Amino acid sequence: MFPWVYGFQWSFGYVLFLGIFFAVAAVVVSTLILAAWRSFSAFRRGRVPLIQWDSAFHDLPPQERACRHDFTGELSGRVCERGFDCRECATHAKLLQVHPPEPAPDLIEVSGLAIPTDRLYHRGHTWAQLQPDGSYLIGLDLIGRRLAGANPTFTLPTPGTPIIANSPALSLHRPGAEARILAPIDGIVLETAPPNSNWLLRLKPSPFLSTRHLLSGSELRAWFARELDRLQLALSAGEGAPSLADGGVLVDDLAAGCTPAQLDTLCGAIFLDE
Amino acid sequence: MIDTRKPAPAARYGMIIDLDRCNGCGSCSVACAVENNVPPPHPKATTRTGLNWLRVFRVEHEGRDAFIPISCMQCGEETPCQSVCPQNAVAIDPATGIVGQIPERCLGCRYCMAACPYQARAFNWWDPQWPAGFELTLNPEVGVRQRGTVEKCNFCHGRWHAARQQAAANGENGPVSYQPACAEACPAQAIAFGDLNQSEFAAKAAGHACFRLLDSLRTGPKIVYKTSSASLRNALQESRHA
Amino acid sequence: MPSALASAPAASIDRRFINRGASRSTLARFSLWLLPWFGLLALGAYAMYLCLSQGLFHTNMDNRYAFGLWIFLDLTIIALGAGAFFTGFLLYVLRNKELKAVINSAVVIGLTCYSGAMVVLAVDVGQPLRAWFTYYHPNVHSMLTEVTFCITCYLAVLAIEYVPLVLKNRQLKLRPSFLVFEWELHKLMVVFALVGTLLSFFHQGSLGGLFGVLRGRPFVFREGFAIWPSTFFLFILSAMAAGPSFVALTTWLVEKLARRRLIQAAVYDTLGRISGKLLLAYVFLKTIDTLLWINQTAPGRGFPAHRFYLESAFGTWMLFAEIVLFGLLPAAILIRPSWRARRGALITGAILACLGVTLNRFVLTIQTMALPTLPFDRFLYYSPSWQEYAAFGAIIAYAVLVYSFSYRYLTLFPQERELALSSKRS
């Protein structure tokens, strides 16, 4: 195998054979090292949250990756390829020029849900609301809250933690189900919510904040309708699925009628947690 | 690897087996086993799992039995077993032309056995065992082989070694002459052993009554058979003429 | 978290490891399914222990029949496992995105086939502890050396390809280091696909060459190109043809057992089409090779080919079965789009194609050993011992177990969720 090993020959066949072998071994080992090194540098540069979201997004079925302009009817059948991040999306920018957002009433009603339009919504069912002092409040939207139930437990980041849009910033715990929840915007945590408030975090937004990827105004109606549809679909997996609606209105605690397995599935579908 | 810087001229040992003389007594097999420390067959061994470096086949031919001793033919051209061995456990000694099997290197994959057209190789299916006391009769010149390795005839390589050493002690440098155990033991003197590089022996081996088994495979076997019966000759080379 | 896990019942722990949205049978049912396979594994492990500790006399192989059931089936499963490299090559190198739906499954199949074959080989050789000699003191002229080098290297590549699947398990990926490493490794997968293709080419070929070079066995000896006999190329082609068929077949089997759709019909169609076309090419070349062998190679070495089919259980019908019944027929079924479109026909074609490659490996090992070379020798019979069957059964059990666990806890079929969603919607 090596020149100093008994039996080694400096013949063409021998050198060629072992040359190919050592080349293959070197390629395999160096590729592994490269992957390890790139992982290491991802950690060093703080790219981990982005990779986490990229990876989860990559695994979503195409139906769940529909572009926001698909459910408003502008671009039928378009599947998002950039992790629901419209901030850099050329198509989105172009469409904004063609169809500027229409003004919407303060409350939009979808299947009994009264959706306030004074805030920006993230595809992972969180919202961000600009406060007079320039900070942003972050909270769960109506569907998210119903999934979280009456007495949810959250693991929240401590004040001072930087968080990145689309990265898993907090997590929800319910008996039988856990879900990580995606941050809607970039910023630094200023404070976490006192008990019984309708928000979860107060953020100092990043100086380069863009909220272009968040949903607002008139498109919320189509989006919420679609999300309720998706919720029902995710729930119909098991036999004897409970109904989500109680007399046409979404029940307050969705989890109450679900098995832990169903709740788990619902959380995955709604909070985009793969 | 065999050292190729051995002193020239090289020998090319071979055998002429006279089928007219062979009566199938099996002395050659027994002598071979004794010489080469081939253990007695395991109680459960069959004719196909026992260890034999030299087997005597019985062939019915025209109402009579012909006996054909078969051992490793020490193929000299494109030796089928040598190139297939993955770990160089088969090595041809250029000084003797003997195809050596090195049991210490053998993986026991049996690829060489599949490659051998004469099926002259045997595998140690069991741990080698001798009856109590028999270890005293083992030949100290020849190593015993482990379970799970392949072995075969090597023209009594131990005897060749002894002859070489004797010759070296006498200051001689060149091919030596010796007799393997089978040739020595044959009561009918059916086995003639010699150096095919010597013209006298080579001429005998090329006689008109001589033929080689499976010559058509072009592996250059160095055991030559001889019979005055043309029909037996033809029958034993049947595949070639069919 | 560990204490919470410990107090939770097994079923709820189990559920935490199953992907969201993937419905799997209950833990009890799953355990019941595993039970007989573990039994078979234990029996086979005992048989292997007997062979390793006491000797290979536990098999029915002998000095004349040096290769038996194990070598035959090793060759077969390695050919069937070729789906792993070939699917990887088509997906990562030729960018056939459709095959993403089955690549994970193909990797698991490849890994189990190759690792299983390696285990059986380790039992099959008489001195497994000396296997390192082949690396340290290789005889590069031996096809077996090439096979050993390539298969071990390729097994390492398959293991590396399997790592991302494991790291994507629902619980494991919660660790950022695992997820990030998986992400980075997956991006470099094309390198492994290429290396795997190179290695597979050589070892699939060398497995064929293993027999083609046996100049002492005129039944298998073949002329060829440079140092490679024709069987070298035929083995590569037949493995490439059978691989996608086997992937389709296993997927179909899992669909039937799990009672759900796992891949889109278009993927079946692609697998069938690729398999059919390659099979046709194989049958064509195999026919030419057989004609050359009958008219030139075999008689040239003193053995008229017809003699191999006389006075034995293996008549010329073997040749017919190999080339027409299990070659041309499945190729025709798989190539014709309207036939291939029917699932029953496609699966029949895939089964026939896999049987064809199996029969080819059978002919090269079992039939070759059975045929005598010496003119006064007789046809040899051999039937494997229970230890040989059991040891191989253990490999099948091992493969089923690894596959079952992988199917339950990993994402083998990325389209599964999508298909479940769309079936609900309709």
Side-chain angles (χ1 to χ4, degrees):
Chain A
M1 177 170 246
F2 304 108
W4 57 88
V5 172
Y6 180 71
F8 185 90
Q9 300 159 28
W10 283 107
S11 66
F12 176 72
Y14 209 92
V15 172
L16 182 72
F17 181 91
L18 288 176
I20 293 176
F21 166 69
F22 284 122
V24 163
V27 167
V28 168
V29 171
S30 53
T31 311
L32 270 183
I33 292 173
L34 182 64
W37 184 79
R38 284 167 69 155
S39 315
F40 176 72
S41 81
F43 271 94
R44 226 182 28 190
R45 294 179 187 183
R47 289 187 57 241
V48 175
L50 297 175
I51 291 176
Q52 279 174 323
W53 167 240
D54 270 355
S55 173
F57 181 77
H58 185 80
D59 291 343
L60 288 175
Q63 295 100 316
E64 301 198 351
R65 279 192 275 131
C67 171
R68 65 201 279 186
H69 299 287
D70 168 50
F71 46 76
T72 56
E74 289 159 282
L75 284 174
S76 180
R78 185 166 194 267
V79 172
C80 178
E81 295 295 343
R82 39 197 324 138
F84 293 147
D85 195 343
C86 321
R87 289 176 291 190
E88 313 264 305
C89 179
T91 313
H92 178 65
K94 211 177 290 168
L95 282 167
L96 275 188
Q97 287 178 345
V98 182
H99 304 279
E102 294 161 29
D106 288 350
L107 283 176
I108 293 178
E109 216 217 77
V110 180
S111 301
L113 294 178
I115 297 144
T117 55
D118 58 349
R119 54 197 78 179
L120 303 163
Y121 289 85
H122 185 260
R123 295 282 294 255
H125 290 273
T126 49
W127 48 254
Q129 188 181 30
L130 181 62
Q131 298 301 301
D133 62 356
S135 68
Y136 272 87
L137 287 185
I138 308 295
L140 284 187
D141 74 6
L142 291 172
I143 291 181
R145 286 174 74 91
R146 276 169 168 70
L147 207 52
N151 291 306
T153 321
F154 292 99
T155 306
L156 301 175
T158 50
T161 314
I163 61 173
I164 301 172
N166 288 334
S167 73
L170 43 141
S171 49
L172 163 70
H173 309 273
R174 292 202 57 157
E178 270 179 45
R180 52 131 188 76
I181 292 166
L182 303 175
I185 55 168
D186 303 329
I188 294 170
V189 179
L190 290 174
E191 61 170 317
T192 54
N196 299 325
S197 39
N198 64 350
W199 53 278
L200 292 168
L201 296 175
R202 182 191 292 279
L203 292 190
K204 176 172 177 267
S206 141
F208 313 107
L209 184 73
S210 162
T211 56
R212 208 182 221 188
H213 61 298
L214 298 176
L215 305 164
S216 63
S218 57
E219 66 186 324
L220 290 175
R221 179 186 300 283
W223 181 59
F224 267 94
R226 186 178 169 282
E227 289 299 286
L228 286 172
D229 186 34
R230 229 157 55 79
L231 196 61
Q232 182 68 59
L233 202 64
L235 196 58
S236 65
E239 298 79 28
S243 173
L244 294 179
D246 182 6
V249 180
L250 200 62
V251 291
D252 278 346
D253 188 353
L254 281 172
C258 297
T259 64
Q262 284 169 332
L263 182 62
D264 191 41
T265 311
L266 287 185
C267 286
I270 290 308
F271 295 120
L272 303 175
D273 183 7
E274 270 309 301
Chain B
M1 283 282 110
I2 298 291
D3 189 351
T4 49
R5 291 163 298 177
K6 286 238 164 109
R12 205 162 65 87
Y13 293 109
M15 245 182 215
I16 305 171
I17 300 180
D18 191 338
L19 298 181
D20 297 342
R21 285 173 178 253
C22 179
N23 61 9
C25 71
S27 300
C28 50
S29 261
V30 175
C32 167
V34 172
E35 169 70 23
N36 292 299
N37 294 338
V38 177
H42 189 275
K44 287 184 192 158
T46 65
T47 51
R48 278 162 60 175
T49 51
L51 284 173
N52 259 324
W53 288 15
L54 201 166
R55 289 172 302 152
V56 182
F57 277 82
R58 192 181 70 190
V59 179
E60 274 189 27
H61 182 70
E62 293 175 351
R64 292 176 57 194
D65 282 343
F67 296 96
I68 303 159
I70 301 258
S71 74
C72 173
M73 302 279 164
Q74 317 291 346
C75 299
E77 298 160 24
E78 301 186 329
T79 314
C81 55
Q82 194 242 349
S83 58
V84 300
C85 179
Q87 26 204 40
N88 291 314
V90 184
I92 298 169
D93 185 349
T96 59
I98 294 174
V99 180
Q101 175 74 19
I102 305 162
E104 295 78 10
R105 293 184 189 171
C106 179
L107 172 67
C109 68
R110 304 186 295 284
Y111 189 20
C112 54
M113 298 172 76
C116 178
Y118 303 97
Q119 306 202 317
R121 294 170 155 268
F123 185 73
N124 284 275
W125 301 96
W126 283 270
D127 275 310
Q129 275 178 336
W130 282 267
F134 266 56
E135 66 274 9
L136 297 174
T137 69
L138 290 177
N139 180 357
E141 303 291 325
V142 178
V144 294
R145 281 76 53 187
Q146 278 176 294
R147 183 185 87 204
T149 57
V150 175
E151 55 186 68
K152 68 167 194 75
C153 164
N154 53 23
F155 276 173
C156 289
H157 203 260
R159 289 186 174 214
W160 172 80
H161 240 284
R164 262 287 286 143
Q165 279 184 326
Q166 186 63 49
N170 295 342
E172 294 163 22
N173 190 12
V176 294
S177 107
Y178 74 102
Q179 287 296 307
C182 53
E184 203 175 74
C186 180
Q189 298 191 325
I191 302 177
F193 183 81
D195 182 356
L196 289 166
N197 278 352
Q198 286 176 359
S199 51
E200 196 186 337
F201 189 69
K204 271 191 201 167
H208 88 280
C210 294
F211 66 98
R212 296 189 290 184
L213 284 175
L214 299 178
D215 204 17
S216 58
L217 293 178
R218 298 192 288 277
T219 60
K222 292 204 282 278
I223 293 184
V224 173
Y225 294 86
K226 182 176 153 189
T227 172
S228 53
S229 158
S231 66
L232 181 61
R233 268 202 310 271
N234 284 338
L236 293 180
Q237 300 177 85
E238 183 200 357
S239 55
R240 184 167 153 195
H241 298 292
Chain C
M1 178 147 133
S3 63
L5 272 178
S7 62
S12 109
I13 299 174
D14 173 63
R15 197 168 50 74
R16 281 161 185 260
F17 282 86
I18 296 175
N19 282 335
R20 276 207 171 95
S23 66
R24 293 288 180 267
S25 57
T26 61
L27 187 61
R29 272 185 69 125
F30 182 61
S31 311
L32 208 63
W33 156 257
L34 297 181
L35 207 61
W37 297 110
F38 271 117
L40 188 55
L41 187 66
L43 179 72
Y46 175 65
M48 289 185 193
Y49 164 77
L50 286 180
C51 293
L52 287 172
S53 67
Q54 296 176 4
L56 286 168
F57 66 88
H58 281 291
T59 69
N60 277 352
M61 287 184 278
D62 55 52
N63 295 336
R64 316 283 308 280
Y65 228 113
F67 288 168
L69 180 78
W70 287 342
I71 295 285
F72 154 50
L73 290 176
D74 278 347
L75 290 189
T76 306
I77 59 173
I78 284 180
L80 296 178
F85 99 80
F86 194 49
T87 313
F89 176 73
L90 292 171
L91 170 65
Y92 295 112
V93 183
L94 298 188
R95 302 265 157 202
N96 187 334
K97 287 276 162 57
E98 223 170 18
L99 294 175
K100 215 168 144 182
V102 288
I103 182 69
N104 292 358
S105 173
V107 164
V108 179
I109 292 171
L111 183 72
T112 54
C113 285
Y114 276 80
S115 53
M118 291 292 277
V119 171
V120 171
L121 275 175
V123 181
D124 198 353
V125 300
Q127 290 283 346
L129 294 180
R130 292 180 185 171
W132 63 276
F133 286 20
T134 304
Y135 298 92
Y136 215 56
H137 307 288
N139 172 14
V140 298
H141 305 292
S142 170
M143 286 287 170
L144 196 54
T145 306
E146 204 177 348
V147 168
T148 312
F149 270 75
C150 288
I151 288 191
T152 40
C153 289
Y154 185 51
L155 188 59
V157 169
L158 278 172
I160 293 169
E161 290 182 334
Y162 186 59
V163 165
L165 302 191
V166 176
L167 294 182
K168 276 303 263 289
N169 169 272
R170 187 171 161 191
Q171 290 298 318
L172 296 181
K173 75 179 173 189
L174 292 180
R175 297 191 68 119
S177 51
F178 286 178
L179 185 83
V180 170
F181 184 63
E182 187 278 333
W183 181 251
E184 296 295 349
L185 193 58
H186 198 265
K187 281 201 277 190
L188 298 171
M189 217 33 105
V190 61
V191 178
F192 295 108
L194 274 170
V195 169
T197 304
L198 174 84
L199 292 171
S200 294
F201 248 75
F202 277 100
H203 74 245
Q204 295 284 0
S206 298
L207 281 171
L210 216 58
F211 294 90
V213 297
L214 296 181
R215 59 186 105 258
R217 294 281 188 171
F219 179 66
V220 278
F221 180 77
R222 294 289 189 280
E223 312 277 349
F225 170 75
I227 58 167
W228 297 293
S230 65
T231 46
F232 181 93
F233 307 99
L234 289 175
F235 258 54
I236 297 175
L237 200 53
S238 58
M240 275 164 44
S245 268
F246 192 63
V247 169
L249 195 59
T250 41
T251 309
W252 175 80
L253 207 62
V254 178
E255 281 190 340
K256 288 287 154 205
L257 287 171
R259 283 189 234 100
R260 66 176 50 87
R261 287 181 63 200
L262 298 172
I263 59 173
Q264 284 166 347
V267 183
Y268 275 115
D269 191 71
T270 304
L271 290 170
R273 191 188 67 232
I274 293 168
S275 201
K277 282 183 178 166
L278 288 167
L279 199 58
L280 190 69
Y282 166 69
V283 169
F284 176 67
L285 292 178
K286 170 83 186 166
T287 309
I288 292 179
D289 176 65
T290 308
L291 289 174
L292 276 175
W293 171 70
I294 290 174
N295 292 305
Q296 195 177 316
T297 316
R301 303 184 79 78
F303 285 77
H306 72 90
R307 274 190 43 132
F308 297 117
Y309 299 98
L310 298 175
E311 56 167 345
S312 78
F314 306 131
T316 40
W317 62 270
M318 292 282 277
L319 213 51
F320 171 81
E322 204 188 326
I323 295 179
V324 180
L325 189 60
F326 298 124
L328 206 55
L329 181 63
I333 293 175
L334 294 174
I335 283 180
R336 220 185 134 92
S338 59
W339 290 354
R340 179 171 82 219
R342 294 170 52 177
R343 189 58 44 81
L346 182 118
I347 293 303
T348 310
I351 291 175
L352 289 177
C354 293
L355 283 177
V357 78
T358 308
L359 183 63
N360 176 256
R361 276 35 172 186
F362 179 87
V363 167
L364 259 61
T365 50
I366 305 294
Q367 191 174 353
T368 303
M369 289 294 123
L371 292 171
T373 41
L374 289 167
F376 46 84
D377 208 354
R378 268 173 306 210
F379 182 83
L380 296 170
Y381 289 90
Y382 150 83
S383 84
S385 68
W386 74 262
Q387 289 92 335
E388 290 177 79
Y389 284 119
F392 209 84
I395 296 311
I396 306 287
Y398 152 80
V400 170
L401 287 170
V402 171
Y403 196 92
S404 299
F405 277 106
S406 301
Y407 173 71
R408 188 174 179 83
Y409 297 116
L410 312 176
T411 309
L412 292 196
F413 299 99
Q415 286 179 353
E416 183 186 355
R417 272 195 64 190
E418 182 186 335
L419 288 167
L421 287 176
S422 55
S423 73
K424 272 184 236 156
R425 189 158 274 157
S426 61

